Structure formats: C-alpha cells, structure tokens
Amino acid sequence: MNPVLDYTLWLCFAVLSVAIFLALWRLFKGPTLPDRVVALELIASMTVGLIGLYAIRTGRDAFIDVAMVLALTAFLAAIGFARYLEKGSHRDDH
Amino acid sequence: MKPRRFNMRSLILNTGSSLLLPLLVLFSLFLLLRGHDEPGGGFIGGLVAAAAVALKLFAEDYKAARDMLRVHPLQLVGIGLVLAAVASLPPLFVGESFFTAQWWSLDLPIFGELKLSTPLLFDIGVFLGVIGTVLTVVFTLAEAEHS
C-alpha cells in the first residue's frame, strides 16, 4: 500500500476514535434527551466512516454494503427518535 | 413546552422516501440473491426490506404502509416458514439425507445458465420470515400509537 495512504488512514482512524469517545461523553452527560439522540446519531455516522476506512484498508468491497445497511438503520432510528421527541409533551429528563 | 398536535408529514421525507423506496427493495433483493458465496443472505435482506416498509410508515402513515405490503405480516411469516420447510424435502426423493443441498441448472434462452438450489429456497423463506417478524413488531407499535 502507498505509504501516504497508509499514514492518512491511520490518522483518520485515530481522529474518528477520539471523536467517538467525545460523542460518548456527550451521550453520558446529556443534559437533555435531544442532546443524547444527536450524540447517538453522531456515533452511528462515525461508525459508518470507520467501516468505510476499513473497507479502503482491507480492499474488500463487502464492507461498503455493511456501511450502507448501518447508515440506513441509523437514518430510520433518527426518524423514529424524532417522532418520539415530537410526540412527547413535557418531560423531566434532566 | 405545550403539547402540540402530532404532525410528521415532512415534504423532504416524503420526496426522499419515494426516491429511496425502490432502491431499498432492489438492494434487499440483491443482498438476498448474493448471499450464497458472499456476505448477505435472507436475514439481512429481510431486514433491509422491512426497513423500506418502516420508512414508508414514517414518511406517510400506517395505512399507506399496510397498503404497500398488502398482506398481514404474519401471513408472510407463515409463507416463509412453509418455504423453508419445503426446502428440506427434495433430497429425500433422490435418496440423500434430510436438508442436503440440491442444485438444478436451467438453460434460459437469453440469460444463459440459471442455477437454482434448495439453499436459495430456504433463504427466500428466511427473507419472508424476517420481513414478517420485524413488520409485526413495527405495526403493533404503530397501532398502539394510534389508539
């Protein structure tokens, strides 16, 4: 593999890993439910990115399909959560 | 925050889903048929197809999703289980043991050779079973929301 591509991939893996931990921190901290939902969606999107990077690194295109299915389910989960948030009236989730 | 009227009809989601739906169904069939040698198969294909119907449910309403499916999801589970069970029988007629994979090959005029097999039939059964199970859950939740 081209060394420039290799270093770039490692850099991207590192950045995404750190970003996932930051999003995880937001997921734990809250403070409101919409914050947590956005954090969860962010984690899902970054996981799709990680799978894409892994597909580049291993050269197997089957991982692209995994990323597609994960992105699809994350999209549906986002709509479901949005529906739930719209429907709910006042909540005490602080 | 005041409780407001529930309205989920978004123009963006509606337009997007009408573009996305045929692609999702096609992708689920692709995953189903590719499953023998490569990643894919009945289970994940069924999940994608069920996600397509769930998207219709989210973008429009419960009635539209039911009309799109046409049959009750439990009927799909039944058909799927029957297909999967039938896939176990052909080897018994040629003197092999239960559930041994059987392959047939057809020569079609334009497309060339078409390979059919009992694993394919079993996978289609799993596909229908997964669609039915997931949609039973989703529809039950949607019904509980309406009442």
Side-chain angles (χ1 to χ4, degrees), chain B residues 31-80:
Chain B
L31 283 175
L32 166 70
L33 293 178
R34 195 185 64 164
H36 190 71
D37 294 328
E38 287 195 71
F43 188 80
I44 188 69
L47 276 183
V48 172
V53 182
L55 182 67
K56 181 91 172 169
L57 174 72
F58 284 144
E60 292 177 35
D61 56 357
Y62 175 55
K63 197 176 169 303
R66 282 298 294 268
D67 289 348
M68 181 189 163
L69 198 64
R70 297 197 187 173
V71 293
H72 193 278
L74 280 177
Q75 283 172 303
L76 282 183
V77 178
I79 297 170

mmCIF file of all heavy atoms in Angstrom, chain B residues 31-80:
data_model
loop_
_atom_site.group_PDB
_atom_site.id
_atom_site.type_symbol
_atom_site.label_atom_id
_atom_site.label_comp_id
_atom_site.label_asym_id
_atom_site.label_seq_id
_atom_site.Cartn_x
_atom_site.Cartn_y
_atom_site.Cartn_z
ATOM 1 N N LEU B 31 -29.067 -8.296 -1.892
ATOM 2 C CA LEU B 31 -28.440 -8.954 -0.739
ATOM 3 C C LEU B 31 -28.921 -10.391 -0.605
ATOM 4 O O LEU B 31 -28.138 -11.287 -0.284
ATOM 5 C CB LEU B 31 -28.775 -8.191 0.537
ATOM 6 C CG LEU B 31 -28.007 -6.912 0.789
ATOM 7 C CD1 LEU B 31 -28.539 -6.224 2.025
ATOM 8 C CD2 LEU B 31 -26.537 -7.213 0.973
ATOM 9 N N LEU B 32 -30.222 -10.606 -0.878
ATOM 10 C CA LEU B 32 -30.776 -11.958 -0.766
ATOM 11 C C LEU B 32 -30.126 -12.908 -1.758
ATOM 12 O O LEU B 32 -29.693 -14.003 -1.412
ATOM 13 C CB LEU B 32 -32.287 -11.895 -1.004
ATOM 14 C CG LEU B 32 -32.994 -13.213 -1.256
ATOM 15 C CD1 LEU B 32 -33.020 -14.038 0.007
ATOM 16 C CD2 LEU B 32 -34.391 -12.986 -1.744
ATOM 17 N N LEU B 33 -30.004 -12.455 -3.024
ATOM 18 C CA LEU B 33 -29.522 -13.366 -4.064
ATOM 19 C C LEU B 33 -28.013 -13.550 -4.013
ATOM 20 O O LEU B 33 -27.492 -14.561 -4.465
ATOM 21 C CB LEU B 33 -29.941 -12.839 -5.441
ATOM 22 C CG LEU B 33 -31.444 -12.861 -5.669
ATOM 23 C CD1 LEU B 33 -31.774 -12.289 -7.015
ATOM 24 C CD2 LEU B 33 -31.974 -14.274 -5.560
ATOM 25 N N ARG B 34 -27.281 -12.566 -3.456
ATOM 26 C CA ARG B 34 -25.837 -12.677 -3.417
ATOM 27 C C ARG B 34 -25.373 -13.562 -2.276
ATOM 28 O O ARG B 34 -24.221 -13.977 -2.221
ATOM 29 C CB ARG B 34 -25.226 -11.283 -3.262
ATOM 30 C CG ARG B 34 -23.780 -11.256 -3.564
ATOM 31 C CD ARG B 34 -23.211 -9.913 -3.296
ATOM 32 N NE ARG B 34 -23.304 -9.601 -1.875
ATOM 33 C CZ ARG B 34 -22.616 -8.623 -1.316
ATOM 34 N NH1 ARG B 34 -21.857 -7.875 -2.050
ATOM 35 N NH2 ARG B 34 -22.733 -8.379 -0.037
ATOM 36 N N GLY B 35 -26.318 -13.855 -1.340
ATOM 37 C CA GLY B 35 -25.911 -14.401 -0.052
ATOM 38 C C GLY B 35 -25.208 -15.730 -0.046
ATOM 39 O O GLY B 35 -24.662 -16.115 0.967
ATOM 40 N N HIS B 36 -25.193 -16.476 -1.146
ATOM 41 C CA HIS B 36 -24.657 -17.826 -1.005
ATOM 42 C C HIS B 36 -23.133 -17.850 -0.845
ATOM 43 O O HIS B 36 -22.610 -18.527 0.031
ATOM 44 C CB HIS B 36 -25.064 -18.673 -2.207
ATOM 45 C CG HIS B 36 -24.751 -20.108 -1.989
ATOM 46 N ND1 HIS B 36 -25.460 -20.886 -1.094
ATOM 47 C CD2 HIS B 36 -23.787 -20.893 -2.488
ATOM 48 C CE1 HIS B 36 -24.938 -22.089 -1.076
ATOM 49 N NE2 HIS B 36 -23.937 -22.136 -1.908
ATOM 50 N N ASP B 37 -22.433 -17.097 -1.668
ATOM 51 C CA ASP B 37 -20.973 -17.138 -1.609
ATOM 52 C C ASP B 37 -20.367 -15.934 -0.913
ATOM 53 O O ASP B 37 -19.223 -15.966 -0.499
ATOM 54 C CB ASP B 37 -20.391 -17.197 -3.028
ATOM 55 C CG ASP B 37 -20.750 -18.505 -3.698
ATOM 56 O OD1 ASP B 37 -20.862 -19.501 -2.980
ATOM 57 O OD2 ASP B 37 -20.930 -18.504 -4.910
ATOM 58 N N GLU B 38 -21.110 -14.847 -0.853
ATOM 59 C CA GLU B 38 -20.552 -13.615 -0.305
ATOM 60 C C GLU B 38 -21.438 -13.127 0.823
ATOM 61 O O GLU B 38 -22.519 -13.662 1.030
ATOM 62 C CB GLU B 38 -20.470 -12.564 -1.420
ATOM 63 C CG GLU B 38 -19.361 -12.860 -2.395
ATOM 64 C CD GLU B 38 -19.067 -11.657 -3.243
ATOM 65 O OE1 GLU B 38 -18.527 -10.687 -2.728
ATOM 66 O OE2 GLU B 38 -19.408 -11.692 -4.438
ATOM 67 N N PRO B 39 -20.994 -12.094 1.566
ATOM 68 C CA PRO B 39 -21.832 -11.579 2.652
ATOM 69 C C PRO B 39 -23.205 -11.187 2.142
ATOM 70 O O PRO B 39 -23.341 -10.643 1.049
ATOM 71 C CB PRO B 39 -21.081 -10.360 3.152
ATOM 72 C CG PRO B 39 -19.676 -10.592 2.770
ATOM 73 C CD PRO B 39 -19.699 -11.413 1.536
ATOM 74 N N GLY B 40 -24.205 -11.447 2.933
ATOM 75 C CA GLY B 40 -25.571 -11.166 2.516
ATOM 76 C C GLY B 40 -26.442 -12.317 2.956
ATOM 77 O O GLY B 40 -26.070 -13.054 3.866
ATOM 78 N N GLY B 41 -27.565 -12.490 2.303
ATOM 79 C CA GLY B 41 -28.422 -13.611 2.626
ATOM 80 C C GLY B 41 -29.799 -13.170 3.041
ATOM 81 O O GLY B 41 -30.129 -11.986 3.001
ATOM 82 N N GLY B 42 -30.606 -14.170 3.418
ATOM 83 C CA GLY B 42 -32.002 -13.900 3.695
ATOM 84 C C GLY B 42 -32.226 -12.962 4.862
ATOM 85 O O GLY B 42 -33.084 -12.094 4.808
ATOM 86 N N PHE B 43 -31.426 -13.123 5.912
ATOM 87 C CA PHE B 43 -31.698 -12.350 7.120
ATOM 88 C C PHE B 43 -31.485 -10.859 6.894
ATOM 89 O O PHE B 43 -32.378 -10.052 7.139
ATOM 90 C CB PHE B 43 -30.812 -12.847 8.266
ATOM 91 C CG PHE B 43 -31.175 -12.232 9.580
ATOM 92 C CD1 PHE B 43 -32.239 -12.709 10.309
ATOM 93 C CD2 PHE B 43 -30.463 -11.161 10.061
ATOM 94 C CE1 PHE B 43 -32.597 -12.123 11.503
ATOM 95 C CE2 PHE B 43 -30.817 -10.569 11.252
ATOM 96 C CZ PHE B 43 -31.883 -11.055 11.984
ATOM 97 N N ILE B 44 -30.317 -10.497 6.395
ATOM 98 C CA ILE B 44 -30.038 -9.068 6.236
ATOM 99 C C ILE B 44 -30.884 -8.469 5.113
ATOM 100 O O ILE B 44 -31.344 -7.324 5.206
ATOM 101 C CB ILE B 44 -28.518 -8.843 6.031
ATOM 102 C CG1 ILE B 44 -28.161 -7.370 6.046
ATOM 103 C CG2 ILE B 44 -28.016 -9.480 4.769
ATOM 104 C CD1 ILE B 44 -28.304 -6.748 7.383
ATOM 105 N N GLY B 45 -31.157 -9.276 4.071
ATOM 106 C CA GLY B 45 -32.036 -8.802 3.006
ATOM 107 C C GLY B 45 -33.430 -8.512 3.533
ATOM 108 O O GLY B 45 -34.043 -7.488 3.202
ATOM 109 N N GLY B 46 -33.932 -9.412 4.405
ATOM 110 C CA GLY B 46 -35.235 -9.202 5.008
ATOM 111 C C GLY B 46 -35.263 -7.957 5.870
ATOM 112 O O GLY B 46 -36.241 -7.206 5.872
ATOM 113 N N LEU B 47 -34.167 -7.730 6.594
ATOM 114 C CA LEU B 47 -34.107 -6.531 7.436
ATOM 115 C C LEU B 47 -34.177 -5.267 6.586
ATOM 116 O O LEU B 47 -34.881 -4.312 6.942
ATOM 117 C CB LEU B 47 -32.813 -6.510 8.253
ATOM 118 C CG LEU B 47 -32.820 -7.303 9.544
ATOM 119 C CD1 LEU B 47 -31.497 -7.112 10.268
ATOM 120 C CD2 LEU B 47 -33.941 -6.853 10.451
ATOM 121 N N VAL B 48 -33.454 -5.255 5.455
ATOM 122 C CA VAL B 48 -33.470 -4.064 4.600
ATOM 123 C C VAL B 48 -34.865 -3.854 4.009
ATOM 124 O O VAL B 48 -35.375 -2.726 3.965
ATOM 125 C CB VAL B 48 -32.404 -4.182 3.493
ATOM 126 C CG1 VAL B 48 -32.540 -3.057 2.496
ATOM 127 C CG2 VAL B 48 -31.024 -4.147 4.105
ATOM 128 N N ALA B 49 -35.521 -4.959 3.582
ATOM 129 C CA ALA B 49 -36.869 -4.815 3.025
ATOM 130 C C ALA B 49 -37.841 -4.314 4.083
ATOM 131 O O ALA B 49 -38.697 -3.462 3.810
ATOM 132 C CB ALA B 49 -37.333 -6.152 2.465
ATOM 133 N N ALA B 50 -37.699 -4.827 5.320
ATOM 134 C CA ALA B 50 -38.566 -4.353 6.399
ATOM 135 C C ALA B 50 -38.297 -2.886 6.698
ATOM 136 O O ALA B 50 -39.227 -2.119 6.985
ATOM 137 C CB ALA B 50 -38.360 -5.195 7.650
ATOM 138 N N ALA B 51 -37.025 -2.482 6.592
ATOM 139 C CA ALA B 51 -36.688 -1.071 6.800
ATOM 140 C C ALA B 51 -37.350 -0.205 5.740
ATOM 141 O O ALA B 51 -37.772 0.923 6.027
ATOM 142 C CB ALA B 51 -35.175 -0.885 6.776
ATOM 143 N N ALA B 52 -37.476 -0.735 4.506
ATOM 144 C CA ALA B 52 -38.135 0.034 3.451
ATOM 145 C C ALA B 52 -39.598 0.291 3.804
ATOM 146 O O ALA B 52 -40.093 1.416 3.662
ATOM 147 C CB ALA B 52 -38.039 -0.723 2.126
ATOM 148 N N VAL B 53 -40.284 -0.753 4.305
ATOM 149 C CA VAL B 53 -41.688 -0.566 4.671
ATOM 150 C C VAL B 53 -41.799 0.359 5.888
ATOM 151 O O VAL B 53 -42.711 1.196 5.973
ATOM 152 C CB VAL B 53 -42.357 -1.925 4.939
ATOM 153 C CG1 VAL B 53 -43.820 -1.739 5.276
ATOM 154 C CG2 VAL B 53 -42.249 -2.812 3.730
ATOM 155 N N ALA B 54 -40.852 0.234 6.836
ATOM 156 C CA ALA B 54 -40.873 1.114 8.004
ATOM 157 C C ALA B 54 -40.661 2.565 7.585
ATOM 158 O O ALA B 54 -41.252 3.479 8.170
ATOM 159 C CB ALA B 54 -39.802 0.676 9.002
ATOM 160 N N LEU B 55 -39.833 2.768 6.543
ATOM 161 C CA LEU B 55 -39.619 4.128 6.035
ATOM 162 C C LEU B 55 -40.916 4.700 5.468
ATOM 163 O O LEU B 55 -41.246 5.874 5.690
ATOM 164 C CB LEU B 55 -38.533 4.105 4.962
ATOM 165 C CG LEU B 55 -38.146 5.449 4.365
ATOM 166 C CD1 LEU B 55 -37.484 6.302 5.407
ATOM 167 C CD2 LEU B 55 -37.225 5.261 3.191
ATOM 168 N N LYS B 56 -41.662 3.839 4.762
ATOM 169 C CA LYS B 56 -42.973 4.254 4.241
ATOM 170 C C LYS B 56 -43.894 4.636 5.398
ATOM 171 O O LYS B 56 -44.633 5.626 5.322
ATOM 172 C CB LYS B 56 -43.558 3.086 3.448
ATOM 173 C CG LYS B 56 -44.889 3.366 2.826
ATOM 174 C CD LYS B 56 -44.732 3.895 1.444
ATOM 175 C CE LYS B 56 -46.075 3.992 0.762
ATOM 176 N NZ LYS B 56 -45.972 4.732 -0.483
ATOM 177 N N LEU B 57 -43.830 3.842 6.464
ATOM 178 C CA LEU B 57 -44.659 4.119 7.644
ATOM 179 C C LEU B 57 -44.308 5.471 8.243
ATOM 180 O O LEU B 57 -45.185 6.254 8.615
ATOM 181 C CB LEU B 57 -44.456 3.006 8.666
ATOM 182 C CG LEU B 57 -45.118 3.175 10.029
ATOM 183 C CD1 LEU B 57 -46.609 2.987 9.898
ATOM 184 C CD2 LEU B 57 -44.551 2.193 11.016
ATOM 185 N N PHE B 58 -43.017 5.770 8.332
ATOM 186 C CA PHE B 58 -42.588 7.037 8.934
ATOM 187 C C PHE B 58 -42.926 8.208 8.017
ATOM 188 O O PHE B 58 -43.316 9.268 8.484
ATOM 189 C CB PHE B 58 -41.086 7.024 9.204
ATOM 190 C CG PHE B 58 -40.708 6.202 10.395
ATOM 191 C CD1 PHE B 58 -39.532 5.474 10.399
ATOM 192 C CD2 PHE B 58 -41.520 6.154 11.512
ATOM 193 C CE1 PHE B 58 -39.185 4.714 11.495
ATOM 194 C CE2 PHE B 58 -41.188 5.398 12.605
ATOM 195 C CZ PHE B 58 -40.004 4.671 12.600
ATOM 196 N N ALA B 59 -42.742 8.001 6.694
ATOM 197 C CA ALA B 59 -42.898 9.123 5.773
ATOM 198 C C ALA B 59 -44.369 9.444 5.544
ATOM 199 O O ALA B 59 -44.733 10.604 5.417
ATOM 200 C CB ALA B 59 -42.219 8.802 4.449
ATOM 201 N N GLU B 60 -45.206 8.399 5.468
ATOM 202 C CA GLU B 60 -46.628 8.663 5.267
ATOM 203 C C GLU B 60 -47.397 8.260 6.518
ATOM 204 O O GLU B 60 -47.245 8.910 7.528
ATOM 205 C CB GLU B 60 -47.099 7.951 4.002
ATOM 206 C CG GLU B 60 -46.459 8.620 2.795
ATOM 207 C CD GLU B 60 -46.811 7.943 1.497
ATOM 208 O OE1 GLU B 60 -47.950 7.461 1.382
ATOM 209 O OE2 GLU B 60 -45.952 7.899 0.616
ATOM 210 N N ASP B 61 -48.183 7.230 6.444
ATOM 211 C CA ASP B 61 -48.845 6.819 7.679
ATOM 212 C C ASP B 61 -49.012 5.306 7.706
ATOM 213 O O ASP B 61 -48.557 4.593 6.812
ATOM 214 C CB ASP B 61 -50.185 7.539 7.863
ATOM 215 C CG ASP B 61 -51.094 7.321 6.666
ATOM 216 O OD1 ASP B 61 -50.621 6.677 5.721
ATOM 217 O OD2 ASP B 61 -52.225 7.798 6.680
ATOM 218 N N TYR B 62 -49.673 4.864 8.761
ATOM 219 C CA TYR B 62 -49.824 3.434 8.999
ATOM 220 C C TYR B 62 -50.583 2.767 7.861
ATOM 221 O O TYR B 62 -50.211 1.698 7.382
ATOM 222 C CB TYR B 62 -50.557 3.269 10.331
ATOM 223 C CG TYR B 62 -50.906 1.862 10.690
ATOM 224 C CD1 TYR B 62 -49.922 0.890 10.739
ATOM 225 C CD2 TYR B 62 -52.206 1.506 10.999
ATOM 226 C CE1 TYR B 62 -50.230 -0.397 11.067
ATOM 227 C CE2 TYR B 62 -52.535 0.220 11.336
ATOM 228 C CZ TYR B 62 -51.540 -0.727 11.355
ATOM 229 O OH TYR B 62 -51.866 -2.008 11.682
ATOM 230 N N LYS B 63 -51.643 3.461 7.387
ATOM 231 C CA LYS B 63 -52.482 2.864 6.359
ATOM 232 C C LYS B 63 -51.697 2.668 5.050
ATOM 233 O O LYS B 63 -51.813 1.634 4.389
ATOM 234 C CB LYS B 63 -53.689 3.765 6.120
ATOM 235 C CG LYS B 63 -54.805 3.070 5.386
ATOM 236 C CD LYS B 63 -56.005 3.979 5.256
ATOM 237 C CE LYS B 63 -57.008 3.386 4.302
ATOM 238 N NZ LYS B 63 -56.449 3.127 2.973
ATOM 239 N N ALA B 64 -50.881 3.677 4.692
ATOM 240 C CA ALA B 64 -50.095 3.579 3.459
ATOM 241 C C ALA B 64 -49.136 2.396 3.520
ATOM 242 O O ALA B 64 -48.956 1.663 2.536
ATOM 243 C CB ALA B 64 -49.325 4.879 3.233
ATOM 244 N N ALA B 65 -48.523 2.192 4.698
ATOM 245 C CA ALA B 65 -47.578 1.083 4.833
ATOM 246 C C ALA B 65 -48.301 -0.255 4.732
ATOM 247 O O ALA B 65 -47.808 -1.193 4.097
ATOM 248 C CB ALA B 65 -46.836 1.192 6.158
ATOM 249 N N ARG B 66 -49.497 -0.339 5.351
ATOM 250 C CA ARG B 66 -50.266 -1.581 5.257
ATOM 251 C C ARG B 66 -50.670 -1.855 3.816
ATOM 252 O O ARG B 66 -50.614 -2.994 3.345
ATOM 253 C CB ARG B 66 -51.535 -1.496 6.124
ATOM 254 C CG ARG B 66 -51.316 -1.702 7.588
ATOM 255 C CD ARG B 66 -50.779 -3.064 7.897
ATOM 256 N NE ARG B 66 -51.704 -4.140 7.600
ATOM 257 C CZ ARG B 66 -52.559 -4.638 8.465
ATOM 258 N NH1 ARG B 66 -52.622 -4.155 9.678
ATOM 259 N NH2 ARG B 66 -53.353 -5.628 8.118
ATOM 260 N N ASP B 67 -51.090 -0.802 3.091
ATOM 261 C CA ASP B 67 -51.497 -0.968 1.700
ATOM 262 C C ASP B 67 -50.330 -1.377 0.825
ATOM 263 O O ASP B 67 -50.485 -2.114 -0.143
ATOM 264 C CB ASP B 67 -52.108 0.330 1.171
ATOM 265 C CG ASP B 67 -53.463 0.591 1.801
ATOM 266 O OD1 ASP B 67 -53.977 -0.336 2.447
ATOM 267 O OD2 ASP B 67 -53.983 1.710 1.663
ATOM 268 N N MET B 68 -49.131 -0.880 1.170
ATOM 269 C CA MET B 68 -47.959 -1.228 0.371
ATOM 270 C C MET B 68 -47.648 -2.711 0.534
ATOM 271 O O MET B 68 -47.290 -3.386 -0.429
ATOM 272 C CB MET B 68 -46.784 -0.382 0.834
ATOM 273 C CG MET B 68 -45.525 -0.626 0.071
ATOM 274 S SD MET B 68 -44.182 0.211 0.874
ATOM 275 C CE MET B 68 -42.808 -0.611 0.135
ATOM 276 N N LEU B 69 -47.794 -3.223 1.743
ATOM 277 C CA LEU B 69 -47.464 -4.630 1.990
ATOM 278 C C LEU B 69 -48.560 -5.559 1.478
ATOM 279 O O LEU B 69 -48.298 -6.691 1.081
ATOM 280 C CB LEU B 69 -47.261 -4.840 3.493
ATOM 281 C CG LEU B 69 -46.522 -6.102 3.874
ATOM 282 C CD1 LEU B 69 -45.117 -6.030 3.345
ATOM 283 C CD2 LEU B 69 -46.502 -6.265 5.372
ATOM 284 N N ARG B 70 -49.811 -5.106 1.520
ATOM 285 C CA ARG B 70 -50.995 -5.813 1.009
ATOM 286 C C ARG B 70 -51.446 -6.982 1.857
ATOM 287 O O ARG B 70 -52.621 -7.248 1.958
ATOM 288 C CB ARG B 70 -50.810 -6.302 -0.422
ATOM 289 C CG ARG B 70 -50.626 -5.135 -1.326
ATOM 290 C CD ARG B 70 -50.834 -5.511 -2.741
ATOM 291 N NE ARG B 70 -50.480 -4.356 -3.544
ATOM 292 C CZ ARG B 70 -50.420 -4.363 -4.828
ATOM 293 N NH1 ARG B 70 -50.695 -5.458 -5.483
ATOM 294 N NH2 ARG B 70 -50.091 -3.281 -5.473
ATOM 295 N N VAL B 71 -50.523 -7.749 2.425
ATOM 296 C CA VAL B 71 -50.953 -8.874 3.261
ATOM 297 C C VAL B 71 -50.557 -8.573 4.700
ATOM 298 O O VAL B 71 -49.757 -7.668 4.967
ATOM 299 C CB VAL B 71 -50.308 -10.200 2.823
ATOM 300 C CG1 VAL B 71 -50.819 -10.601 1.476
ATOM 301 C CG2 VAL B 71 -48.807 -10.085 2.825
ATOM 302 N N HIS B 72 -51.121 -9.330 5.627
ATOM 303 C CA HIS B 72 -50.721 -9.159 7.025
ATOM 304 C C HIS B 72 -49.321 -9.744 7.200
ATOM 305 O O HIS B 72 -49.005 -10.784 6.636
ATOM 306 C CB HIS B 72 -51.728 -9.872 7.926
ATOM 307 C CG HIS B 72 -51.579 -9.499 9.365
ATOM 308 N ND1 HIS B 72 -50.650 -10.082 10.176
ATOM 309 C CD2 HIS B 72 -52.203 -8.572 10.116
ATOM 310 C CE1 HIS B 72 -50.734 -9.536 11.378
ATOM 311 N NE2 HIS B 72 -51.667 -8.612 11.365
ATOM 312 N N PRO B 73 -48.462 -9.077 7.967
ATOM 313 C CA PRO B 73 -47.088 -9.582 8.123
ATOM 314 C C PRO B 73 -47.020 -11.007 8.650
ATOM 315 O O PRO B 73 -46.104 -11.749 8.277
ATOM 316 C CB PRO B 73 -46.448 -8.599 9.108
ATOM 317 C CG PRO B 73 -47.441 -7.571 9.415
ATOM 318 C CD PRO B 73 -48.609 -7.738 8.541
ATOM 319 N N LEU B 74 -47.999 -11.415 9.484
ATOM 320 C CA LEU B 74 -47.953 -12.790 9.990
ATOM 321 C C LEU B 74 -48.152 -13.806 8.870
ATOM 322 O O LEU B 74 -47.624 -14.916 8.937
ATOM 323 C CB LEU B 74 -49.013 -12.988 11.070
ATOM 324 C CG LEU B 74 -48.599 -12.455 12.441
ATOM 325 C CD1 LEU B 74 -49.725 -12.626 13.431
ATOM 326 C CD2 LEU B 74 -47.362 -13.173 12.938
ATOM 327 N N GLN B 75 -48.892 -13.409 7.822
ATOM 328 C CA GLN B 75 -49.039 -14.299 6.665
ATOM 329 C C GLN B 75 -47.693 -14.512 5.987
ATOM 330 O O GLN B 75 -47.375 -15.614 5.528
ATOM 331 C CB GLN B 75 -50.038 -13.720 5.676
ATOM 332 C CG GLN B 75 -51.474 -13.897 6.113
ATOM 333 C CD GLN B 75 -52.425 -13.143 5.212
ATOM 334 O OE1 GLN B 75 -52.288 -11.938 5.058
ATOM 335 N NE2 GLN B 75 -53.362 -13.836 4.633
ATOM 336 N N LEU B 76 -46.881 -13.427 5.938
ATOM 337 C CA LEU B 76 -45.534 -13.557 5.365
ATOM 338 C C LEU B 76 -44.697 -14.537 6.176
ATOM 339 O O LEU B 76 -43.960 -15.350 5.612
ATOM 340 C CB LEU B 76 -44.838 -12.200 5.342
ATOM 341 C CG LEU B 76 -45.240 -11.228 4.256
ATOM 342 C CD1 LEU B 76 -44.385 -9.988 4.353
ATOM 343 C CD2 LEU B 76 -45.044 -11.874 2.907
ATOM 344 N N VAL B 77 -44.804 -14.468 7.514
ATOM 345 C CA VAL B 77 -44.063 -15.412 8.359
ATOM 346 C C VAL B 77 -44.469 -16.836 8.023
ATOM 347 O O VAL B 77 -43.616 -17.725 7.874
ATOM 348 C CB VAL B 77 -44.323 -15.122 9.859
ATOM 349 C CG1 VAL B 77 -43.599 -16.131 10.722
ATOM 350 C CG2 VAL B 77 -43.879 -13.729 10.214
ATOM 351 N N GLY B 78 -45.785 -17.053 7.866
ATOM 352 C CA GLY B 78 -46.270 -18.392 7.553
ATOM 353 C C GLY B 78 -45.729 -18.899 6.231
ATOM 354 O O GLY B 78 -45.198 -20.008 6.141
ATOM 355 N N ILE B 79 -45.829 -18.064 5.189
ATOM 356 C CA ILE B 79 -45.327 -18.462 3.870
ATOM 357 C C ILE B 79 -43.832 -18.768 3.941
ATOM 358 O O ILE B 79 -43.347 -19.766 3.397
ATOM 359 C CB ILE B 79 -45.607 -17.360 2.833
ATOM 360 C CG1 ILE B 79 -47.109 -17.147 2.678
ATOM 361 C CG2 ILE B 79 -45.011 -17.725 1.490
ATOM 362 C CD1 ILE B 79 -47.453 -15.927 1.861
ATOM 363 N N GLY B 80 -43.098 -17.910 4.658
ATOM 364 C CA GLY B 80 -41.649 -18.096 4.776
ATOM 365 C C GLY B 80 -41.308 -19.411 5.447
ATOM 366 O O GLY B 80 -40.425 -20.142 4.997
#
